[in-house]
């Protein structure tokens, strides 16, 4: 049992190393700029969906406020850039800290609420944060702010490629964290909360503390995912930074992939974000949001366990059919 | 620059706006407040109804009449929505929370994007003889459109209060909200009653949507602003309280109008959400909570 757990852990880390090496190799060899421009978005959504799943999937608290954390991440980066011209990695690091603090604060304020009240409260946080930024002249206010990229450092020959590799590293960090949460006592506690919060509380599960940990972790990852987005677009404005599309995407990707395992949001994000990138380029950006909505509704109605659930069903059928 | 006159203006106008907010929230007060359905698609349905009224406006149909004409359509739509929700989530029982919410969130998104794809992102308005004029009461200029919306809102709230307390079906709806199991023991079918109630709630949204396009120009993403307003009103009122809805609407309306006059329009979107958070933090059962 011990050995098997170790072997699995080793497999995960080897996979992660191969993934980063691949991203790095791609950045050094592939010439097509657009591949990295689109690839960055896909990786960013993997981080967002994974982060959403820590609170939404394991604990069953539906967070509609992904865009709040994302936007705060974007504007943390903008602020640091304008105030002290901080380098990118500091922007991301500080954004993660701000995200954790915000997650803790939001959690303390709203996690005593259950179900829909928590969800609506997270929408409220989004709009309030957006309004504050809109009225803050230093970071550009309602009209937004133009940003200048610093020169790119070797071995990369373009900024987009560097961002792409950076996003790949963030994906590994996010997934490793989610995997750790899932397999540790925190994950068991969160699942107990999802199944029956009162029963969990009565059995001595420290529900509020666990939820706060999940909220802070999830917030830190979402904010960190938002931070490089300022440099990626070289522009930031409140309406797009706090766009509700981020909330619905993160939620839909997790639910469509399956929320019970860390691989679910990853699969969902790859599938949906890639489809979205293709649709945005080929048809229009409206249709990609429509596809997202339709897929979300279809999956929650027809396949409530997501892609993971479907895969498990198929696996069971195959095994039953084999002997 | 502070002036008492401006403040008084804001309070009078805010009261009227508030009654209008009550009218757009009252459907949610039934579907979410009484029936416990996490209907986050309510504001999207509201905007959809506004677009319906706008379409009918092309045939020279008065927006309020258009709202009335849309009511049966929305009644059927509501029943279809509730049936889907019940069959897929309430019946299965477990996990209805997460997936039910995601379901309505998805529906809201589909409606929003559907409107964008069909009619574009431009603002839409309607024409009627009472739009564009204004009347003066005690030196306060009030737009005629607000007066019409105010009157209709009051009428709608009173009618629903009467329906829920005096008629047989209305009382059945309140009974289902109080104790579903007991109703089943009495030999009544709670699902049929909830379905009927959800239909009524959605039909009321049709009329409220017509009021919305009378009061302000409508665009596809307007529902986002109304998530805050409608849920703020319903939660502040205390779930399912009709008279509370009217009072909560007025509180929100006055707060918004006062902030708008004092600090400017850019702060307005946050008012309803801030109020909502305060209510959730301080008095989660609302003003008239059970």
């Amino acid at each position: 049992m011990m050995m098997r757990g170790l072997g699995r852990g080793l497999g995960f880390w080897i996979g992660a190393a191969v993934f980063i090496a691949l991203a790095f190799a791609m950045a050094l060899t592939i010439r097509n700029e657009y591949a990295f421009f689109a690839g960055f978005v896909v990786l960013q959504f993997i981080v967002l969906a994974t982060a959403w799943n820590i609170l939404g999937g394991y604990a069953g608290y539906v967070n509609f406020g992904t865009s709040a954390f994302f936007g705060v991440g974007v504007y943390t980066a903008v602020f640091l850039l304008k105030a002290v011209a901080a380098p990118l990695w500091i922007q991301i690091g500080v954004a993660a800290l701000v995200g954790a603090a915000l997650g803790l604060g939001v959690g303390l304020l709203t996690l005593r609420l259950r179900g829909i009240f928590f969800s609506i409260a997270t929408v409220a946080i989004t709009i309030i944060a957006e309004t504050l930024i809109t009225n803050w002249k230093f970071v550009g206010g309602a009209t937004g702010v133009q940003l200048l990229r610093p020169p790119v450092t070797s071995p990369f020959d373009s900024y987009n490629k560097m961002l792409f590799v950076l996003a790949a590293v963030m994906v590994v960090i996010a997934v490793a964290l989610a995997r750790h949460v899932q397999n540790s006592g925190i994950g068991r506690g969160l699942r107990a909360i999802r199944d029956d919060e009162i029963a969990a509380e009565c059995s001595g599960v420290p529900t509020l503390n666990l939820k706060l940990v999940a909220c802070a972790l999830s917030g830190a990852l979402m904010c960190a995912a938002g931070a490089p987005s300022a440099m990626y677009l070289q522009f930031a404005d409140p309406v797009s930074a706090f766009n509700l599309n981020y909330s619905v995407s993160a939620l839909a990707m997790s639910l469509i992939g399956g929320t019970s395992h860390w691989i679910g949001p990853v699969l969902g994000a790859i599938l949906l974000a890639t489809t979205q990138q293709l649709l945005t380029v080929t048809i229009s950006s409206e249709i990609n949001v429509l596809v997202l909505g339709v897929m979300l509704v279809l999956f929650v109605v027809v396949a409530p366990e997501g892609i993971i659930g479907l895969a498990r069903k198929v696996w069971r059928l195959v095994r039953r059919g084999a002997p | 620059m502070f002036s008492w006159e401006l403040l008084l203006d804001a309070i009078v106008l805010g009261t009227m706006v508030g009654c209008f907010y009550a009218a757009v929230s009252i459907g949610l007060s039934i579907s979410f407040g009484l029936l416990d359905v996490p209907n986050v698609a309510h504001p999207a349905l509201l905007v959809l109804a506004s677009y319906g009224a706008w379409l009918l406006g092309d045939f020279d149909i008065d927006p309020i009449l258009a709202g009335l004409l849309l009511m049966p359509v929305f009644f059927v739509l509501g029943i279809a929505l509730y049936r889907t929700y019940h069959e897929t989530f309430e019946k299965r029982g477990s996990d209805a929370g997460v997936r039910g919410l995601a379901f309505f969130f998805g529906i809201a998104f589909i409606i929003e994007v559907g409107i964008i794809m069909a009619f574009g992102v431009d603002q839409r308005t309607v024409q009627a003889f009472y739009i564009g004029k204004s009347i003066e009461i005690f030196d306060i200029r009030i737009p005629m459109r607000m007066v019409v919306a105010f009157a209709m809102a009051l009428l709608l709230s009173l009618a629903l209060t009467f329906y829920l307390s005096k008629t047989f079906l209305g009382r059945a709806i309140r009974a289902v909200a109080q104790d579903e199991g007991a109703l089943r023991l009495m030999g009544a079918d709670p699902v049929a009653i909830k379905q009927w109630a959800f239909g009524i709630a959605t039909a009321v949204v049709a009329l409220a949507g017509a009021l919305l396009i009378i009061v302000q120009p409508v665009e596809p993403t307007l529902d986002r602003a109304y998530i805050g307003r409608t849920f703020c009103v319903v939660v502040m009122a205390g779930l399912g309280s009709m008279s509370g809805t009217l009072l909560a609407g007025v509180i929100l309306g006055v707060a918004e109008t006062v902030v708008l006059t004092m600090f400017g329009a850019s702060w307005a979107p946050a008012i309803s959400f801030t109020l909502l958070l305060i209510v959730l933090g301080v008095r989660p059962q609302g003003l008239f909570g059970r």
Side-chain angles (χ1 to χ4, degrees), chain B:
Chain B
M1 216 174 41
F2 184 84
S3 95
W4 286 104
E5 264 170 57
L6 269 179
L7 185 67
L8 188 68
D9 278 14
I11 289 176
V12 172
L13 192 64
T15 310
M16 301 191 114
V17 173
C19 286
F20 160 70
Y21 285 165
V24 296
S25 312
I26 211 157
L28 187 67
S29 183
I30 298 175
S31 60
F32 174 53
L34 285 174
L35 307 178
D36 233 10
V37 178
N39 186 10
V40 279
H42 171 88
L45 287 168
L46 187 71
V47 173
L48 184 68
S50 292
Y51 271 83
W54 170 71
L55 277 180
L56 288 175
D58 280 353
F59 303 100
D60 280 334
I61 296 176
D62 179 87
I64 289 179
L65 181 64
L68 290 171
L69 288 176
L70 284 170
M71 282 178 91
V73 183
F74 270 66
F75 182 77
V76 175
L77 181 68
I79 286 185
L81 255 180
Y82 180 74
R83 273 242 81 95
T84 320
Y85 173 75
H86 174 76
E87 295 294 333
T88 39
F89 304 103
E90 281 188 338
K91 239 184 192 172
R92 281 189 207 155
S94 71
D95 234 13
V98 176
R99 284 167 229 293
L101 260 174
F103 172 73
F104 281 107
F105 201 44
I107 297 277
F109 243 72
I110 293 173
I111 293 176
E112 196 178 283
V113 182
I115 295 175
I116 293 180
M117 289 173 65
F119 308 114
V121 291
D122 304 334
Q123 291 194 330
R124 305 291 178 187
T125 50
V126 284
Q127 300 300 321
F129 65 90
Y130 43 81
I131 294 175
K133 291 184 189 135
S134 63
I135 51 168
E136 253 178 64
I137 308 169
F138 304 121
D139 283 349
I140 299 172
R141 262 168 59 95
I142 294 169
M144 209 36 196
R145 57 169 76 192
M146 280 319 301
V147 179
V148 172
F150 171 68
M152 284 304 296
L154 270 184
L155 215 65
L156 190 62
S157 315
L158 288 177
L160 267 177
T161 312
F162 176 80
Y163 177 75
L164 285 175
S165 57
K166 293 289 185 288
T167 64
F168 179 75
L169 267 173
R171 286 179 179 178
I173 292 172
R174 290 211 316 197
V176 99
Q178 274 175 16
D179 196 335
E180 218 180 301
L183 206 71
R184 196 173 273 126
L185 292 178
M186 300 294 126
D189 179 6
V191 176
I193 296 169
K194 284 174 102 169
Q195 183 178 315
W196 177 262
F198 202 90
I200 300 260
T202 320
V204 169
V205 172
L207 191 54
L211 294 183
L212 175 64
I213 201 168
I214 291 174
V215 168
Q216 67 172 106
V218 170
E219 52 173 339
T221 50
L222 188 66
D223 61 328
R224 294 175 184 189
Y226 277 87
I227 295 179
R229 291 183 180 137
T230 50
F231 274 91
C232 173
V233 169
V234 170
V235 174
M236 202 201 298
L239 295 183
S241 161
M242 294 297 134
S243 42
T245 307
L246 213 50
L247 182 63
V250 170
I251 292 176
L252 173 64
V254 171
E256 260 191 10
T257 327
V258 168
V259 170
L260 201 82
T261 359
M262 302 279 159
F263 303 100
S266 61
W267 288 100
I271 303 306
S272 56
F273 282 107
T274 312
L275 259 178
L276 174 64
L277 283 186
I278 293 173
V279 171
L280 284 175
V282 178
R283 195 176 158 80
Q285 72 271 42
L287 296 172
F288 295 88
R290 283 177 269 156

Side-chain angles (χ1 to χ4, degrees), chain A residues 60 62 64 116-117 119-120 124 127-128 131-132 135 243-245 248 255 286 289-290 293-294 296-297 300-301 304, chain B residues 32 38 40 88-89 92 98-99 101-103 105-107 109-110 113 116 224 266-267 269-270 273-274 276-277 280:
Chain A
V62 182
F64 285 161
I116 186 172
F117 292 106
S119 306
I120 297 296
I127 306 289
I128 291 170
T131 310
L132 287 176
N135 287 289
N243 198 324
L244 217 54
N245 286 4
V248 81
L255 287 179
E286 268 78 50
V289 186
L290 184 70
V294 171
L296 172 64
V297 170
V300 293
V301 171
Chain B
F32 174 53
V40 279
T88 39
F89 304 103
R92 281 189 207 155
V98 176
R99 284 167 229 293
L101 260 174
F103 172 73
F105 201 44
I107 297 277
F109 243 72
I110 293 173
V113 182
I116 293 180
R224 294 175 184 189
S266 61
W267 288 100
F273 282 107
T274 312
L276 174 64
L277 283 186
L280 284 175

Side-chain angles (χ1 to χ4, degrees), chain A residues 193-209:
Chain A
I193 291 172
R194 183 191 58 196
D195 292 340
D196 192 333
E197 186 155 352
I198 295 169
E201 181 120 32
C202 292
S203 324
V205 177
T207 51
L208 186 63
N209 286 350

